[in-house]
Amino acid sequence: MQFSNRFAIAIHMFAYIHTYEGEEKMTSANLARSVNVNPVVIRQILSKLKAAGLLNSSQGSSHIEIAKNPEDITLLDIFRALDMMREDRLFGYHSNPSTECPVGRNIHAVLDDQLLDVQRAMENSLQSVTLADVFKDTASYVWR
């Protein structure tokens, strides 16, 4: 199973906004054209990013802008804004393993710490990349 593509779409949105800021209207329709999704998807993601204070926009306006300095927004900020984890856990569990089975009875004790370590490693990696890093990389590809 994969994560939702909302995370990659959100990063694409930021890169597009940064790349074309001041050159064209920042509308959900224009963003949707670049991402190649329905504008409704863009508006749903935009709403979450706006609620997290990462983007600014006004309903009915063609002005969507990045709310903070790109050096101050990490990929982890975006990941968290999109509610990509349930109950702050990256990995979900089946809630009712058999207590009659030795494996089922102990599976959480076996996996909890290891999976939490994996989650922390992923969060640390996402925390180390800022939008400024993404924008720098985007510029090196966009204008080739």
Side-chain angles (χ1 to χ4, degrees), residues 40-72:
V40 171
V41 173
I42 298 298
R43 286 191 291 273
Q44 290 169 342
I45 294 170
L46 179 60
S47 175
K48 289 181 178 277
L49 296 172
K50 185 177 174 183
L54 302 178
L55 286 177
N56 293 324
S57 72
S58 301
Q59 191 169 4
S61 168
S62 62
H63 190 65
I64 300 169
E65 65 183 6
I66 300 168
K68 298 179 179 181
N69 187 323
E71 284 97 16
D72 297 332

Side-chain angles (χ1 to χ4, degrees), residues 10-79:
I11 296 167
H12 184 143
M13 290 168 59
F14 279 105
Y16 182 89
I17 292 165
H18 175 76
T19 301
Y20 292 105
E21 185 176 43
E23 292 182 29
E24 63 178 68
K25 291 182 178 183
M26 286 303 144
T27 64
S28 56
N30 285 346
L31 287 164
R33 240 185 322 279
S34 178
V35 178
N36 200 25
V37 297
N38 189 300
V40 171
V41 173
I42 298 298
R43 286 191 291 273
Q44 290 169 342
I45 294 170
L46 179 60
S47 175
K48 289 181 178 277
L49 296 172
K50 185 177 174 183
L54 302 178
L55 286 177
N56 293 324
S57 72
S58 301
Q59 191 169 4
S61 168
S62 62
H63 190 65
I64 300 169
E65 65 183 6
I66 300 168
K68 298 179 179 181
N69 187 323
E71 284 97 16
D72 297 332
I73 300 175
T74 68
L75 296 188
L76 183 60
D77 295 328
I78 298 167
F79 189 84

Side-chain angles (χ1 to χ4, degrees), residues 83-138:
D83 299 321
M84 300 294 289
M85 297 188 291
R86 291 191 178 153
E87 300 171 8
D88 292 328
R89 295 290 236 159
L90 182 59
F91 297 99
Y93 290 100
H94 52 291
S95 57
N96 255 346
S98 172
T99 57
E100 302 296 315
C101 171
V103 174
R105 186 172 47 246
N106 295 294
I107 196 66
H108 284 287
V110 170
L111 287 178
D112 284 355
D113 288 341
Q114 287 85 353
L115 294 180
L116 192 55
D117 288 346
V118 170
Q119 177 179 330
R120 285 186 187 127
M122 184 200 79
E123 289 174 340
N124 288 338
S125 184
L126 291 174
Q127 182 71 36
S128 72
V129 180
T130 68
L131 278 182
D133 299 324
V134 172
F135 296 162
K136 179 180 158 205
D137 291 343
T138 301

Side-chain angles (χ1 to χ4, degrees), residues 1-7 79 84-85 90-91 122:
M1 178 181 359
Q2 289 183 326
F3 282 121
S4 162
N5 61 358
R6 292 177 301 156
F7 181 57
F79 189 84
M84 300 294 289
M85 297 188 291
L90 182 59
F91 297 99
M122 184 200 79

